[in-house]
Amino acid sequence: MRLHGYYRSSTSYRLRIALELKGLAYEYVPVNLLESEQKGAAFTSRNPFGSVPLLEAGGKDYVQSMAQLEWLDEAYPERPLLGGDIEDRYVARELAYAIATELHAPLNLPVLKYLASEYGKSQDEIGVWYRHWLARTLDPLEARLAQLGSGDFLFERPGLFEVCLLPQVYNAQRFGFDFTDKPHITRIEQACLALLPFQRAHPDNQPDNPERT
């Protein structure tokens, strides 16, 4: 199994966490988004979306992170990302898809580049944009966690929700988002980062991180 991704890509980070949680061995293949390697002919011939991650498994290419995560759970059902009963699986999907569908589109790298190149927005202005959309989803997400009375994780152990949450929190912190009033999100993030699978998947520990020591 080979995972083509970028160390800071939230969708690549999702897949790394999932593979680590499931204990699946994989080779990591860096794709430099800053140099638009994902838009080159060699890459788009395999993934017409021109995006990461691309997962090679069993001689096939799989793209689009949420579909990849669901496929992993069906192909490798041990240590499921979606466990419990139908209601638990619904809640996990509800919260995971709030992050994946509401936040990824307006906050991904092509959008941020477009704001700068086409509208002349400064990095400070882009930061305001970023934090605005984060709050639009993370505020109700925190309220939903309070309703659910979550502990260290949404359920007994990390799953689909945590796989989506941790990369978004990482990116939010890079853009100076204030988590002071998000105790539930903060508690879950800290509990996850104490676990070895999350540590292995973290952007700081990827071979294409130029600041890796």
Side-chain angles (χ1 to χ4, degrees):
M1 196 177 294
R2 305 176 82 205
L3 177 65
H4 300 251
Y6 180 63
Y7 77 105
R8 275 185 175 171
S9 157
S10 61
T11 49
S12 300
Y13 192 179
R14 291 173 192 166
L15 263 290
R16 293 195 303 265
I17 296 171
L19 291 166
E20 295 288 352
L21 285 174
K22 284 183 167 290
L24 297 172
Y26 66 97
E27 177 187 353
Y28 181 65
V29 183
V31 179
N32 193 327
L33 301 191
L34 299 183
E35 296 181 1
S36 298
E37 288 183 0
Q38 80 282 11
K39 299 298 183 183
F43 195 89
T44 56
S45 66
R46 301 176 62 182
N47 177 10
F49 292 102
S51 61
V52 293
L54 183 150
L55 181 67
E56 292 181 54
K60 295 183 178 181
D61 290 337
Y62 298 89
V63 301
Q64 296 294 344
S65 68
M66 298 307 289
Q68 290 166 331
L69 293 172
E70 296 260 9
W71 177 82
L72 278 174
D73 237 18
E74 293 184 15
Y76 302 92
E78 292 188 7
R79 306 181 193 179
L81 301 174
L82 282 166
D85 60 20
I86 188 172
E87 296 302 323
D88 287 350
R89 293 193 295 274
Y90 165 77
V91 170
R93 287 188 175 102
E94 173 195 317
L95 301 184
Y97 276 88
I99 294 168
T101 62
E102 295 182 13
L103 289 178
H104 185 255
L107 301 182
N108 65 21
L109 185 59
V111 171
L112 304 185
K113 285 184 173 181
Y114 191 81
L115 289 171
S117 63
E118 297 298 321
Y119 292 98
K121 297 301 180 182
S122 67
Q123 191 60 42
D124 286 345
E125 289 172 319
I126 290 172
V128 171
W129 163 280
Y130 204 101
R131 291 185 292 274
H132 168 79
W133 293 110
L134 283 170
R136 284 282 299 270
T137 294
L138 294 184
D139 286 354
L141 179 64
E142 175 70 16
R144 189 73 173 101
L145 290 171
Q147 289 178 342
L148 295 166
S150 62
D152 283 348
F153 311 112
L154 181 61
F155 298 117
E156 290 185 3
R157 59 185 181 81
L160 182 68
F161 168 61
E162 289 81 5
V163 164
C164 292
L165 177 67
L166 267 287
Q168 195 61 67
V169 171
Y170 170 80
N171 281 346
Q173 291 167 341
R174 288 179 53 226
F175 280 82
F177 187 78
D178 185 4
F179 281 94
T180 303
D181 62 346
K182 305 281 187 295
H184 295 282
I185 291 174
T186 299
R187 183 180 64 252
I188 292 171
E189 181 220 10
Q190 292 174 348
C192 287
L193 290 179
L195 301 178
L196 189 56
F198 286 89
Q199 295 168 12
R200 289 175 173 165
H202 196 279
D204 288 353
N205 297 321
Q206 303 315 304
D208 54 333
N209 183 344
E211 298 178 0
R212 185 185 184 195
T213 58

